[in-house]
Amino acid sequence: MQATPDRTPPHRDLVLIGGGHTHAGLLRMLVMRPLPGLRITLISRDVHTPYSGMLPGLIAGHYRLDDCHIDLRPLCELAGARLIHAEVDSVDLEQRRVLLPGRPPLRFDWLSINTGSRPALDSIPGAVEHGIAVKPIDVFLARWQALQTELTEARLNATRPRDSDDSRACPHRLAIVGGGAASVEIALALDYRLRRTPGLRSGVALQLLSAENRLLPDHNRRVARHFSKQLRERDIDLCLNSRVSSAHRDGLTLANGAGVACDTVIWAIHAGSQPWYRQAGLACDARGFIRVDASLQSVSHPGVFAVGDAASFAPALPKSGVYAVRQTAVLDANIRRLVAGRPLKAYRPQRRTLSLLIRGDRSAVASRGPWFAAGAWVWRWKNRIDRRFMARFDRDLPRPAAPPVSPEPAAPAMRCGGCAAKVGSAVLGRVLAQLQPLVRADVPVGLHAPDDAAVIQPPPGKLWVQTVDYFRAFIDDPYLLGRIATNHCLSDIYAMGAEPHSALAIATLPYGAEALVEDTLLQLLGGAVDALNAQGAALIGGHSSEGAELSFGLSVNGVADAVLTKRAVAAGQVLVLTKPLGTGCLFAANMAGHARGEWIDTALAMMLQDNAAAARILRQHNAGALTDVTGFGLLGHLAEMLKDSGLRAELQLAALPALPGALDLLQQGWVSSLHADNQRQARRIAEDFDPAAPRCRLLLDPQTSGGLLASLPADSADACVAALRQAGYGDATIIGTIAAADTDTSAAPSQRDAIRLCH
C-alpha cells in the first residue's frame, strides 16, 4: 500500500536527470516508501518515456503507443516528486546547479543521471543530416510513420495507368546500419509491418549493414546463425564487414571505399553519450559516458550518480535495459543511505543475462550464455514479462479511488490555508538580483529602486484598472506555476478591455531549508517575470512568506481608454469562447495520479498561452460583453453576464470545446473542489441541466488561465473566430446565442432560467 504522505519539511534536493528505466523504477519505489526530508525533482525530455524492449513490437504493430511507454507524470505525482519537462543544457557541478533552456537554473544537493543513449551519429560524417536514428524513439516513430505514408502513396501511384509502357519504378532502398540486437529486431519488424500492406514490401529493398564479421557479436553463435537465416528468408540483404565511413544524399560510403546506394538510412549503431557529461567536468570514458564506481557514483564527483546507459563501468557492460532495471534497487538503497549518512551499497551486475529478441512476427528467440530457444512460445513469454513490467508503472500503482459519480458532489474534507513567517531578506535579495523585470519610466519607485512601497505615475487620460488573484499550486513545477498564474491574473485586465501595466507578486513558499526556499522562489518569480515581460507589464514589488503549500498570485494594474464590461450583452449577439474547457477536472485527477501525462501536457500548453492577442481580436470585431472564464466555470461567468439583463442565452453543448481527457474524467467522477458549489448555482440558472452528463459538468469546471467569453454581433462572429484561430487559439468557436428572455410574470426574476442548454 502507498504510505501516508510525509509532511517533514525538505532540507535536501535530489535532482534526477532523465526518465530512463532506473529512474522510473526509483520513483515507483518512492511511491511505496517515501523518503522524508528530501525534495525530489525529475527533469525529463519525455513525459512518456519509452520502454525500449517493446519498440520492435510497436514498429511491427503488435503494441499501441501507450503499451510501451511509461507515463511519468502520474508516477511523479504519486511519488511526491516535481516533474520538469525539459532537456538539460548543462550542469554546473561547482555551484550545484542544473542549467535548463529558457528558465532559471535548478539547484541540487545530490544528482542522478539516467538520460539513456542515442546512436553515435557524430562518429560518422553526414549521419546527422542523412537518415533516421532509432533514438529518440518519438522522433524515430514520427519519421517512420511519414516514410510509411510516402511508400504507400508511391505504391498507389505506381498502380495507376500510365501513358506509356515504362518499366516499373525502382524499389525504395532502405538500409539499416548496425549489427546488434536493435538493428536486427528493427529490420525484421519493418519487414513484418511492410508485408501487412499488400504490395508494399515488394516496393522496398531492405538491407542490413554491419561493421562486424558476424551478426550479433554479443550473443552466442547459434543466435547469430538463426537470425542470419531469418534475414535471408525475409529477403533482407545482410552485408557483414561493411563499416560505414560517411553518409550523403545518395547513400553511404564504406570504409573500403565502396558505395552503397540507398534512399533511406536507419541508424542503429553503437551508443553515443550526451556532450554535456564531459563539458560539466565529469570523469568520462573514451566514448564520453560517465565513469562510476561500485556504488553507482561518479568517480570524480561523489554525490553524483549515473545509471543505465549514461554510466560506464569497469569492466564494461553492454548498453542494455536489463542492467538498468537491476540498478534501481541499488540506487534507491544508496540514496537512502546517503541521506542517513551510512556507507553505500555496491552494485554487482549479473554475470549472464536473459536475452529475448522478437523476429518481427509473434515469435521470438531466447538466449542466456550458450543456451538458445526459439518459437511462438518465446514471444508469449516475452510478452508476459514486458506487460508485467509495464503494469508496475500503471495498473499496479496504488492510487486513490475515483470519487463516485453523484448528482450532488461533496465538498472536499480539507482545504489549503495558513501563512507563516516572511521569507528572509537575504534570500529575497539574492533571488531579485537574478531577475530582470521590465523597467517602465512611469514607475519611478519599483524593484529597480526599492522602497517601502512602489510608486506609479498613472498615464494621463487613461482609466486605471486593478485586480488581484491568488491560489495554491496545481502543478509541481514552480516556474510553470509562475508563468501560468501570471497569465491567469492578467486575464481580468484583458477582459476589461485594458492593457497590463504593472504587478505586485504574492508568494507563499513551502517550509524547508533556506536553499530550497530560495530555489523555489527563484523558479516561481522567474516564470512570473518572463510572462509579465512578454506582455509588457513590470513587476514592481510584492510580498513573500513561508507556509504549508506553494501558493502564488498577483495584484495587477492595467490602463484603458475605455473599459468593456461583462454585462454589455444584447439580443441577437452570439457567444464566442477562445479556449477549451477542462483544467479543473484534469488537475483534480492529476493530483491523484489518474490523468494521463499527454492530457496534462496539452492543458499546460493551453494555460501557457496568454489572452493578449485574443482580447485585441475580440475588440477589433466589436465585442459587446467580455469576461474571462475562471473559478465559477463557463456557466457561472455567463450567468454574471446575463444578470438583470432581461436576456437569456442558448448554449449548444455539442459545440463546447474540451481539453483532451476532460470529458472522460468527468464521466468517471473526477471534479474539482469548487464543482459542488458551482453545481448548486447551476440549478437556479440553467434549464435542462443534467448533473450526470459530462458536457453539463464541463460547464461547471473551474478554469485556471482559461479563455475569454465574449458576445459579438452575429455578422462579425465568423470572421472573429477565423482570426482567433489564425492567431493560435485553435479551439476558438461559437458556442451559443443571446435572445430576449421569456416573459413569465408568475415567476420571480431570480427563479427564471437564464440559460437554456441545447443537448
Side-chain angles (χ1 to χ4, degrees):
M1 293 184 61
Q2 187 179 19
T4 302
D6 185 83
R7 300 297 182 186
T8 304
H11 54 274
R12 290 288 190 272
D13 261 323
L14 169 66
V15 172
L16 311 174
I17 300 179
H21 300 346
T22 312
H23 281 173
L26 175 65
L27 289 166
R28 180 181 176 276
M29 288 187 166
L30 290 166
V31 173
M32 307 301 179
R33 293 178 59 218
L35 191 50
L38 189 65
R39 184 171 70 176
I40 300 166
T41 304
L42 173 68
I43 305 171
S44 179
R45 173 192 176 274
D46 303 306
V47 172
H48 282 74
T49 188
Y51 175 42
S52 56
M54 297 174 78
L55 174 63
L58 176 65
I59 295 170
H62 306 316
Y63 299 119
R64 297 175 297 109
L65 196 68
D66 288 345
D67 293 335
C68 43
H69 282 74
I70 299 170
D71 196 340
L72 294 175
R73 192 169 293 282
L75 188 60
C76 286
E77 287 289 338
L78 294 169
R82 303 189 302 178
L83 174 59
I84 309 295
H85 188 188
E87 197 159 9
V88 171
D89 274 347
S90 186
V91 172
D92 183 343
L93 292 168
E94 184 176 345
Q95 298 295 322
R96 293 184 174 268
R97 302 185 307 168
V98 180
L99 308 182
L100 303 170
R103 57 182 291 159
L106 205 68
R107 76 171 302 279
F108 66 87
D109 293 293
W110 300 303
L111 189 68
S112 182
I113 302 168
N114 184 203
T115 47
S117 61
R118 301 175 184 178
L121 301 188
D122 55 356
S123 65
I124 300 176
V128 173
E129 297 80 12
H130 303 287
I132 309 170
V134 295
K135 291 182 180 180
I137 290 175
D138 61 324
V139 177
F140 171 78
L141 292 174
R143 296 283 299 277
W144 164 240
Q145 186 60 50
L147 178 59
Q148 278 186 286
T149 302
E150 177 187 331
L151 293 173
T152 301
E153 291 175 352
R155 181 184 67 83
L156 292 174
N157 291 334
T159 59
R160 294 191 178 104
R162 299 174 180 267
D163 295 333
S164 64
D165 293 331
D166 293 341
S167 61
R168 292 177 60 191
C170 294
H172 187 95
R173 297 160 299 186
L174 177 57
I176 299 108
V177 180
S183 59
V184 172
E185 285 191 295
I186 287 172
L188 293 170
L190 294 177
D191 168 79
Y192 181 83
R193 190 61 177 263
L194 292 170
R195 292 179 189 274
R196 306 301 287 177
T197 303
L200 193 58
R201 178 64 177 88
S202 61
V204 178
L206 273 173
Q207 63 180 149
L208 192 152
L209 291 84
S210 173
E212 306 294 334
N213 59 9
R214 81 171 181 90
L215 199 62
L216 298 167
D218 293 333
H219 294 71
N220 67 54
R221 292 189 176 275
R222 295 178 66 192
V223 175
R225 287 195 299 269
H226 178 85
F227 275 105
S228 296
K229 180 182 178 183
Q230 289 287 314
L231 294 172
R232 289 195 301 271
E233 291 176 350
R234 310 285 182 89
D235 197 25
I236 300 172
D237 188 20
L238 175 60
C239 304
L240 300 175
N241 295 310
S242 299
R243 183 177 298 277
V244 176
S245 61
S246 65
H248 44 85
R249 187 179 62 181
D250 299 322
L252 306 169
T253 300
L254 303 183
N256 61 11
V260 177
C262 55
D263 301 298
T264 300
V265 181
I266 292 178
W267 301 102
I269 58 176
H270 62 277
S273 63
Q274 298 278 359
W276 63 260
Y277 297 167
R278 199 186 299 276
Q279 294 166 4
L282 292 164
C284 296
D285 65 12
R287 295 165 59 190
F289 294 101
I290 303 166
R291 292 172 53 214
V292 297
D293 59 20
S295 66
L296 304 177
Q297 286 190 110
S298 162
V299 297
S300 60
H301 290 80
V304 176
F305 295 89
V307 290
D309 287 358
S312 172
F313 297 88
L317 294 176
K319 301 299 182 185
S320 169
V322 174
Y323 294 100
V325 171
R326 293 286 186 91
Q327 289 161 21
T328 300
V330 177
L331 179 63
D332 177 70
N334 282 348
I335 288 170
R336 294 176 189 277
R337 289 171 178 237
L338 203 61
V339 171
R342 297 165 51 205
L344 303 190
K345 182 179 178 181
Y347 164 64
R348 294 182 175 82
Q350 57 269 49
R351 291 179 56 249
R352 290 179 176 175
T353 62
L354 174 66
S355 173
L356 298 169
L357 307 179
I358 77 165
R359 302 190 296 194
D361 56 9
R362 291 177 182 268
S363 67
V365 171
S367 66
R368 187 173 187 270
W371 178 72
F372 165 88
W377 69 269
V378 180
W379 156 262
R380 293 192 294 270
W381 183 26
K382 173 178 167 54
N383 182 52
R384 283 196 300 272
I385 291 173
D386 289 342
R387 288 190 180 275
R388 189 162 57 242
F389 175 77
M390 293 299 292
R392 297 168 65 192
F393 301 98
D394 183 16
R395 187 181 66 243
D396 296 346
L397 283 175
R399 287 180 169 93
V405 177
S406 169
E408 294 289 346
M414 296 180 62
R415 291 188 180 269
C416 306
C419 355
K422 193 173 181 179
V423 171
S425 60
V427 168
L428 193 58
R430 288 193 295 268
V431 168
L432 293 178
Q434 298 179 68
L435 301 176
Q436 295 181 323
L438 190 71
V439 176
R440 298 182 62 116
D442 51 4
V443 182
V445 178
L447 288 180
H448 64 289
D451 212 306
D452 290 331
V455 177
I456 299 170
Q457 178 64 53
K462 296 281 189 180
L463 295 173
W464 195 246
V465 182
Q466 290 185 311
T467 184
V468 64
D469 213 332
Y470 175 84
F471 45 75
R472 67 179 287 260
F474 58 89
I475 192 71
D476 50 21
D477 182 341
Y479 176 81
L480 288 189
L481 175 66
R483 284 183 59 188
I484 291 171
T486 300
N487 288 345
H488 179 93
C489 295
L490 292 181
S491 287
D492 279 331
I493 298 294
Y494 294 127
M496 296 296 293
E499 293 293 327
H501 176 277
S502 52
L504 297 168
I506 316 161
T508 300
L509 291 310
Y511 298 117
E514 181 180 287
L516 275 67
V517 172
E518 180 177 335
D519 176 72
T520 301
L521 185 59
L522 174 62
Q523 300 293 323
L524 187 66
L525 292 184
V529 166
D530 283 352
L532 287 168
N533 288 355
Q535 296 173 72
L539 180 66
I540 59 175
H543 179 79
S544 57
S545 62
E546 288 188 288
E549 290 187 296
L550 179 63
S551 303
F552 185 66
L554 293 168
S555 174
V556 186
N557 306 307
V559 294
D561 294 315
V563 296
L564 293 175
T565 66
K566 66 176 64 176
R567 296 184 185 175
V569 289
Q573 292 180 332
V574 299
L575 294 168
V576 171
L577 180 64
T578 63
K579 285 186 179 183
L581 306 170
T583 62
C585 63
L586 280 163
F587 285 94
N590 183 59
M591 291 175 66
H594 277 273
R596 293 171 58 175
E598 61 188 303
W599 294 345
I600 300 301
D601 285 349
T602 302
L604 288 172
M606 183 274 288
M607 298 159 84
L608 287 167
Q609 182 182 33
D610 63 59
N611 283 321
R616 286 192 287 271
I617 291 168
L618 291 167
R619 293 199 302 269
Q620 290 165 5
H621 288 82
N622 304 312
L626 184 61
T627 189
D628 59 333
V629 182
T630 55
F632 299 149
L634 176 65
L635 202 64
H637 290 286
L638 177 57
E640 290 180 333
M641 294 172 70
L642 298 171
K643 187 176 181 181
D644 300 327
S645 67
L647 302 172
R648 69 183 290 139
E650 291 192 358
L651 289 181
Q652 301 296 326
L653 290 180
L656 293 176
L659 286 164
L663 293 174
D664 290 340
L665 291 171
L666 288 167
Q667 181 69 52
Q668 296 168 27
W670 289 104
V671 295
S672 71
S673 59
L674 196 55
H675 187 99
D677 187 69
N678 288 348
Q679 183 167 302
R680 283 188 286 272
Q681 302 301 317
R683 288 183 163 170
R684 297 191 301 103
I685 58 177
E687 179 183 323
D688 295 330
F689 181 83
D690 179 0
R695 286 196 173 271
C696 285
R697 289 182 162 220
L698 189 65
L699 288 170
L700 311 179
D701 195 60
Q703 303 304 292
T704 301
S705 190
L708 299 175
L709 176 65
S711 66
L712 292 101
D715 57 2
S716 66
D718 288 336
C720 181
V721 168
L724 286 165
R725 292 179 178 177
Q726 182 67 28
Y729 302 91
D731 291 285
T733 191
I734 297 170
I735 62 168
T737 57
I738 302 294
D742 295 339
T743 56
D744 179 6
T745 57
S746 65
S750 62
Q751 295 174 326
R752 297 176 191 155
D753 294 324
I755 301 170
R756 176 179 295 158
L757 305 181
C758 301
H759 292 265

